[in-house]
Amino acid sequence: MTLSAIAASVIAFPLQQPVAIFLLVLVIILLAPIIFSALKIPNIVGMIISGIAIGPYGLNLLARDASFEIFGQVGILYLMFLAAVEIDMFNFKKNARNGLIFGLLTFSIPMVAGILCSVWAFGTGWLPAALIASMFASHTLISYPIINRFGLQNSRPAVIAVSATIVAVLLALVVLAEVIAVKTKGGFLWSDIATLLLLTAIYATAVGLFFPWLTRWFFRKVADPVTQFIYILAMVFTASLLAQLIGLEAILGAFYAGLVLNRFIPSRSALMGRIEFVGNAIFIPYFLIGVGMLINVHVVVSGWGVVRTAAIMSATALSCKWIAAFIAQKFFGLSPDGRRIMFGLTSGKAAATIAAVMVGFSNGLISEDLMNGAVLMILVCCAVASIVTEQAARRRRMHITEEEMKSEAPGSVRAARQLVAVANPITAEGIMKLAMLMRHPSNRTPVTALFVRNDDEQSTRAVGKAALSEAVKAAVAADIAVNDVERYDINIVSGIINVAIEREATDIVIGLHRKSNIVDTFYGSLIDSLLGATNRMVIMSRCFIPVNTVRSLMVIVPPKAEYETGFREWVGRLGNLASQIGAKVNFLADPATIPYIQGLITAEGYNIRHHYEELRTWDDFLIFSNLIVEDDLMIVVGARRTSISWSTDLAQLPPFLGKYFKRQNLIVLYPSQFGDAAEMPTPIDPLSEAPSTAPSPILLSLQRLRALYASMRLELRRRRAARRRRN
């Protein structure tokens, strides 16, 4: 074959050669955001317009072949998975009822209006009208990447809208399925719905129980980041496939997989960075371009009938979604920007709407004009959703940024400056990951990774270089700035202290000493010297399992801890850690200290589950420690001698930990002490209760059942711990 013939086969349009197809898609993904951002057009709309331009109804550069079918399906599943995995589960559970209410609103209002509009404006029968109305009622989180880009995925309007999406899409798909059943079988069968509900309950229970168990086991056995990423994708598509097998849509399975796997993927982790990067770089743009390739702009000029149909459809769909968002805003007490975010997220249409269009046309329920009008409606709704969401998100982000700047005062809980001292390449990555998880998400201060040596041996240099390399890779993978420092000093403690002073570090994070001989202390001479040489917060860690697989944090707090200058800081660090990994925090503290911990958690807005046990004597600590199992992380808050919270009981702490907690995950935390007087946190009055927030009798009954279940679990864990002690 001649060179000209080869060139002709490669550049023949529509492109058929895989390399040429993928190159053109990559060029669009690269240039579209640059070009459309200059035109003040949201990137999402730009991707869809690009798909229209290169698609079979545009310049015909590309055909919508199997690659776009596959990557498009992967893209919408990835989008739903990202929406679930980036949600703070505490916020999600807290707003679940609001999400259910808004989901019913944003489904029922378009459903009723769509049926009436179809019958009156288009002259359809009731069955086609129900199918068209399901197009209006369903929506796709097409503008969610905008929310993600502005960091608003955990804002209340976004969480409510994402929760409502599942309700609306599920109900719309049920309507679509029943419409097709009536068309094909000639009747409506309640048994089909009952079967679907039963299978859905079995599916939700099986995935909700098996996926966490398998993921916890896998993450403890496999530390390779690429393998972990592939595992997460496999779980997402497994859940999606199982959802399809029982009659649900794959997007519902992907979203549920994200909720189940949420706690294993902290937002400030390398794994989350890889998930977001791959989705935003390849899969989601491919999906958006594929949506554009479906739209035939020629139908606009073919006749006013299609334009009229599209205008009526778009106006009805958008107005109904706006009315639902307006009612929800007033009912939930949200701001106008919150209403716009909910409207923007729930007005975009793609996956479920496209499915309804194709199924309705293939079964003869809608005409070609209605199909073309529905496709144009998808374009209009996607454009409106993207523009509204970007404008509202920008305004809300600017308002939040102003508040964050006010809260970033020196000494703020959010403004931690961490010094991570590493000595071993094996443990360096884990220590750095722990430090990152204890940072506030808004903290942009670089982390300092430090290796100190007191000799000039080549082997010591090699160990230090390897340890720093592992620590730096862990920070960079999570998109956190890091400064690596290798320092020669007369001794290790002097090097750590000098660098801490130079970098103005607030926290010193270090690995917990492993005893090397029988006369060695539990902390080791290095840490004993470090605690005596600095008043800064010192965090010593020894974790045998990945931190993100920890089930709960068991925190032992000494009496009078609230009077220490570093009280607010260490509570903040634990609040960040618990919220990142989705773990419950169990505090064992003096009755006088508990209200201050509660008040601080409330004041700083930490969305965590927290429980309290009273520490009245040292025996309480001994009993409490027996409940700690291998999935827990025990955190002991210490105190330096002569500090306010120090007592003779704490003098027995190191040998007790060394004797009974050799194999448990452990953090020993010494807060900053002997510093300037700190502002006392506001305690929560246990007797105070706002009349407007009194729980309903049903809620009280649920709370009692939950308390009973928690006590049963606690007793079971106590018996298991006692049995292990005997063995």
Side-chain angles (χ1 to χ4, degrees), residues 214-465:
L214 182 61
T215 303
R216 187 174 287 106
W217 174 86
F218 187 86
F219 278 13
R220 291 177 183 175
K221 297 294 182 181
V222 180
D224 180 64
V226 176
T227 307
Q228 288 185 350
F229 174 75
I230 298 300
Y231 168 82
I232 291 296
L233 286 187
M235 290 294 99
V236 173
F237 286 97
T238 299
S240 302
L241 180 61
L242 292 175
Q244 284 186 315
L245 291 176
I246 66 171
L248 296 174
E249 276 295 313
I251 56 175
L252 299 178
F255 185 86
Y256 186 57
L259 294 180
V260 171
L261 300 174
N262 182 289
R263 69 179 308 273
F264 299 101
I265 310 174
S267 59
R268 300 292 291 272
S269 67
L271 182 57
M272 177 62 81
R274 292 184 180 92
I275 290 173
E276 291 180 337
F277 174 79
V278 173
N280 293 329
I282 299 295
F283 292 136
I284 295 176
Y286 235 109
F287 162 68
L288 296 173
I289 293 172
V291 171
M293 295 175 72
L294 287 171
I295 298 173
N296 186 358
V297 293
H298 297 294
V299 299
V300 177
V301 297
S302 63
W304 287 107
V306 174
V307 176
R308 172 182 173 274
T309 300
I312 294 174
M313 283 184 163
S314 301
T316 304
L318 291 173
S319 60
C320 290
K321 292 291 184 179
W322 186 91
I323 292 172
F326 178 79
I327 295 174
Q329 176 213 350
K330 298 301 181 182
F331 189 75
F332 302 144
L334 299 175
S335 64
D337 283 336
R339 179 192 69 233
R340 297 185 187 100
I341 288 176
M342 290 196 301
F343 168 65
L345 286 174
T346 57
S347 56
K349 299 188 181 300
T353 309
I354 293 173
V357 172
M358 299 305 178
V359 170
F361 183 71
S362 61
N363 284 274
L365 290 170
I366 60 175
S367 64
E368 185 175 0
D369 282 351
L370 286 174
M371 182 190 71
N372 291 329
V375 172
L376 286 179
M377 174 194 69
I378 292 173
L379 175 62
V380 173
C381 290
C382 288
V384 171
S386 302
I387 294 172
V388 171
T389 304
E390 178 141 359
Q391 292 176 349
R394 190 182 303 276
R395 283 194 295 265
R396 189 174 181 89
R397 180 73 262 176
M398 291 175 62
H399 176 68
I400 294 176
T401 302
E402 292 174 357
E403 293 180 347
E404 288 180 348
M405 290 176 63
K406 295 177 183 177
S407 67
E408 290 292 340
S412 169
V413 174
R414 301 168 184 247
R417 293 181 296 277
Q418 296 167 305
L419 171 65
V420 180
V422 296
N424 189 330
I426 298 176
T427 60
E429 180 184 4
I431 296 173
M432 178 59 77
K433 287 182 177 180
L434 174 67
M436 293 186 298
L437 292 173
M438 298 181 87
R439 291 162 61 93
H440 193 277
S442 65
N443 190 352
R444 296 293 179 263
T445 307
V447 178
T448 300
L450 171 67
F451 176 78
V452 181
R453 57 185 175 86
N454 56 3
D455 61 54
D456 205 28
E457 296 291 335
Q458 188 65 30
S459 59
T460 305
R461 287 176 175 270
V463 169
K465 184 177 180 180

Side-chain angles (χ1 to χ4, degrees), residues 280 359 402 436 542 565 576 682 727:
N280 293 329
V359 170
E402 292 174 357
M436 293 186 298
R542 185 193 66 196
T565 55
N576 293 330
T682 303
N727 295 334

Side-chain angles (χ1 to χ4, degrees), residues 55-69:
Y57 303 113
L59 300 176
N60 197 27
L61 301 181
L62 289 178
R64 198 175 191 280
D65 56 10
S67 67
F68 282 95
E69 292 286 345

Side-chain angles (χ1 to χ4, degrees), residues 8 72 106 111 113 117 120 137 170 193 204 225 328 406 427 435 506 541 620 644 664 701 714 721 724:
T106 199
M111 194 71 199
C117 172
W120 292 340
L170 179 60
I193 297 181
K406 295 177 183 177
T427 60
T506 59
S541 167
D620 293 336
I644 299 174
Q664 274 72 27
S701 300
L714 191 63
R724 281 198 302 272

